[in-house]
Amino acid sequence: MIPDSLTPTPPTQALPASGSLTADQLRARVLHRDELCLVIDKPAGLAVHKAGRITDHLELYLPHLAEPDEEPPKLAHRLDRDTAGCLILGRTLWALKRLGQMFAAGHVEKTYWAVAEGIPEAETGVIDLPLLKRIEPKLPAGSLAGAGRSSWTILPDPAGQPAVTDYRVLGTGNGRSWLELRPRTGRTHQIRVHCAAIGCPLVGEPFYGPERRPPGNLHLLARSVAFRMAFEYAPVSAVAPAPEHMRDALSACGWQGE
């Protein structure tokens, strides 16, 4: 079960020792910028916003990306704290509304890379499993560690919301697989639960693998995004580099660098 706060320890690759980003470090992570939006390479280990006990999060640093006398950009969607890669920010109210509509309609093309424990039976496939968020009741105060806090988990369940993920095996090695994943829907933890459901939990998976592991080393990258705000605007595409903590595992599966 997953605590509300979702507070994994930071991975070795992403953040300075202080756990925060400087202005220069964040600006160096900009993959695309135009008058309506930005795409940044979110570091693994940094939550996108405040939640529960999380006090260090990306929204604190978004003013670093604003021009003088400009409002800071705002999140157009979310990534899990331990997921690295492409994150879209809106720079205007119209852009944020438009991006919200596009995500809801499936008009933002998202591609993920992952390294999984195990190899799917087929080289390509579709994982079509509805997902249900189950809330566990709070424990009575004074009864056990963690008392007074509720927790939740995501489960494959026919009663859940529709969730569909396309996958393709890009390489294998040492009993692991390098996967390209394209979610058709955007459910919480969708890729992580879907991969575990076909017997291929992600490397570093703290919650959905066969055993509980410390968070902070999830091998999941939001590799690319592509979209077009409207016909009068140029198409936007961005590709995030493989983060340091995934490179050895990717190389063992046949990845030869960017």
Side-chain angles (χ1 to χ4, degrees):
M1 292 179 292
I2 306 172
D4 284 335
S5 53
L6 287 176
T7 53
T9 55
T12 56
Q13 111 351 281
L15 301 178
S18 64
S20 61
L21 284 169
T22 67
D24 287 344
Q25 287 167 335
L26 182 55
R27 289 170 189 149
R29 288 181 168 270
V30 173
L31 303 171
H32 169 85
R33 185 183 193 116
D34 61 34
E35 68 271 25
L36 295 175
C37 66
L38 297 99
V39 182
I40 66 168
D41 176 17
K42 186 191 85 67
L46 182 65
V48 295
H49 55 67
K50 181 175 174 60
R53 293 177 295 172
I54 293 172
T55 57
D56 185 47
H57 54 88
L58 180 64
E59 285 187 324
L60 295 174
Y61 310 110
L62 295 184
H64 295 324
L65 299 176
E67 300 291 343
D69 301 320
E70 180 187 31
E71 287 291 316
K74 293 180 174 59
L75 298 167
H77 64 124
R78 295 181 293 177
L79 292 177
D80 292 349
R81 182 173 185 174
D82 281 345
T83 302
C86 293
L87 181 71
I88 305 170
L89 308 173
R91 298 184 67 186
T92 69
L93 290 176
W94 180 86
L96 285 165
K97 181 178 179 180
R98 177 64 179 147
L99 285 163
Q101 294 169 340
M102 293 170 66
F103 273 107
H107 293 162
V108 178
E109 182 179 332
K110 299 173 289 180
T111 302
Y112 288 76
W113 277 5
V115 181
E117 302 282 6
I119 301 171
E121 292 183 5
E123 289 190 2
T124 63
V126 179
I127 308 169
D128 186 351
L129 286 173
L131 299 178
L132 180 70
K133 184 175 183 178
R134 186 176 71 189
I135 307 294
E136 300 294 333
K138 292 183 180 181
L139 296 171
S143 61
L144 294 168
R149 294 172 56 215
S150 61
S151 59
W152 56 271
T153 191
I154 306 296
L155 301 170
D157 192 302
Q161 293 180 301
V164 182
T165 305
D166 298 314
Y167 76 84
R168 180 164 66 105
V169 179
L170 298 180
T172 61
N174 300 326
R176 291 175 169 176
S177 52
W178 165 25
L179 303 178
E180 178 187 83
L181 302 127
R182 295 176 182 267
R184 300 186 198 174
T185 51
R187 309 304 177 201
T188 300
H189 291 184
Q190 175 175 317
I191 287 175
R192 298 166 63 176
V193 178
H194 274 179
C195 287
I198 64 169
C200 298
L202 302 190
V203 173
E205 174 57 73
F207 302 121
Y208 302 110
E211 61 185 48
R212 192 66 178 262
R213 297 177 178 177
N217 192 40
L218 186 68
H219 282 42
L220 180 60
L221 169 69
R223 172 66 170 172
S224 66
V225 292
F227 56 94
R228 189 170 190 166
M229 299 289 280
F231 288 115
E232 61 266 34
Y233 296 105
V236 174
S237 62
V239 177
E244 191 65 35
H245 74 283
M246 289 180 60
R247 288 176 173 249
D248 286 347
L250 285 168
S251 295
C253 291
W255 177 66
Q256 297 181 354
E258 302 302 329

